[in-house]
Amino acid sequence: MAAQVFSYDSLVHAVSGAVGSVTAMTVFFPLDSARLRLQVDENRKARSTPAVLAEIIREEGLLAPYRGWFPVICSLCCSNFVYFYCFHYLKASWLRGRQAAPSTDLLIGIAAGVVNVLVTTPLWVVNTRLKLQGSKFRNPDIRPTNYSGILDAFVQIVHDEGLGALWNGTFPSLLLVLNPAIQFMIYEGLKRQLRRGGPRELSSVEVFLIGAVAKAVATTATYPLQTIQSILRFGQSGAPTERSKLLASLQTVKCLLLNRARKNGMLGLFKGLEAKLLQTVLTAALMFLLYEKIASCTFRAMGLSAQHLKRH
């Protein structure tokens, strides 16, 4: 019976998180397109988000910033559903009524992140390829691709590069489970601080602000690895074939980090950070706001609002 209650509770959080993230990403999707261009296309001279977006629209059309929206939304929906479900299920099972702590949130976030990465990396590899397909790159070494959709991209990648290519970037992705883990640790910690006076529902402004702060810290701390992750998912990193066919190795990540730093300086590791922060902080803040409101309304409709606040 307890397992059923915890599973249902986790399901509400998972659906709320997925819906919130999909809505937020749709609103700020052009900012993510600008961020990805800055990470992958090293020869692009435009450095600021508005300049990159202006270039994309001028050269590729008004709808170009929304290229690849559908596969990204599909991947994001699946990814956030898995992460929110695992995080809240593991938290409920681990704590069993005990008081949560930042270290507990961090460990649970890492565990949920590992499950999420192993399950959803192929979706993110495909959506990165589709999002960049048809783009006008400044780097002449980037080869054009021709995928007709999500399924065709899966088939072509497996046929041309092998099954392991669907998990390109898995190693940095596993390291990057620290990103949502740090984000949730800070978010849950700040939420507990705001509720020190007793269980209560946070205001929209409070949720938006703590969501933004949590994501800003997590993104800045892990950004160089996010850049390498994007390059590996794109599949044109120039890494040795025997290393990149299977899971990305530590040596490959190290080489890509060193090459990028050697070519562009240490600041090159943070190229696109402005676009990433602008997009990810606003998206995460809106996502947490929608997530909390959807979950709260669902629990309230079921008459579980008080119990929900006590547990979380």
Side-chain angles (χ1 to χ4, degrees), residues 90-297:
L90 291 172
K91 187 172 182 178
S93 301
W94 192 334
L95 294 177
R96 296 192 181 280
R98 295 192 297 270
Q99 184 66 36
S103 58
T104 306
D105 291 330
L106 183 63
L107 290 173
I108 292 172
I110 290 172
V114 169
V115 174
N116 181 39
V117 165
L118 296 178
V119 171
T120 65
T121 289
L123 286 170
W124 287 110
V125 168
V126 166
N127 92 55
T128 299
R129 305 284 185 96
L130 290 172
K131 193 171 182 180
L132 291 170
Q133 182 168 271
S135 303
K136 295 184 182 299
F137 292 108
R138 302 298 189 273
N139 188 345
D141 295 329
I142 294 178
R143 304 180 303 277
T145 56
N146 185 28
Y147 306 127
S148 61
I150 296 175
L151 185 59
D152 183 56
F154 271 112
V155 172
Q156 284 198 45
I157 291 171
V158 172
H159 180 269
D160 297 338
E161 304 170 47
L163 186 63
L166 291 174
W167 277 269
N168 279 352
T170 297
F171 188 81
S173 295
L174 287 172
L175 296 179
L176 279 169
V177 300
L178 284 172
N179 183 296
I182 292 171
Q183 175 187 343
F184 269 76
M185 177 184 71
I186 295 173
Y187 179 78
E188 294 289 330
L190 291 173
K191 194 159 68 169
R192 283 193 294 271
Q193 288 298 312
L194 291 173
R195 286 177 172 168
R196 277 185 302 179
R200 67 179 179 90
E201 186 172 337
L202 301 183
S203 69
S204 298
V205 173
E206 288 173 325
V207 173
F208 190 90
L209 288 177
I210 64 176
V213 169
K215 192 62 177 179
V217 174
T219 297
T220 304
T222 60
Y223 188 75
L225 281 173
Q226 292 182 52
T227 299
I228 300 307
Q229 179 192 58
S230 294
I231 293 171
L232 287 170
R233 283 175 174 172
F234 190 37
Q236 303 195 34
S237 61
T241 302
E242 63 272 13
R243 288 180 183 168
S244 59
K245 271 291 184 184
L246 301 173
L247 301 179
S249 67
L250 178 60
Q251 187 63 35
T252 302
V253 173
K254 178 184 174 184
C255 287
L256 288 171
L257 283 170
L258 289 176
N259 288 340
R260 196 171 181 88
R262 194 178 296 117
K263 187 174 181 179
N264 302 302
M266 288 303 294
L267 290 179
L269 296 176
F270 291 89
K271 186 180 180 184
L273 177 60
E274 174 225 347
K276 180 65 176 176
L277 278 175
L278 186 60
Q279 176 263 327
T280 199
V281 168
L282 291 174
T283 301
L286 181 57
M287 182 269 290
F288 274 118
L289 174 59
L290 293 171
Y291 153 68
E292 292 286 357
K293 295 304 178 185
I294 293 169
S296 176
C297 288

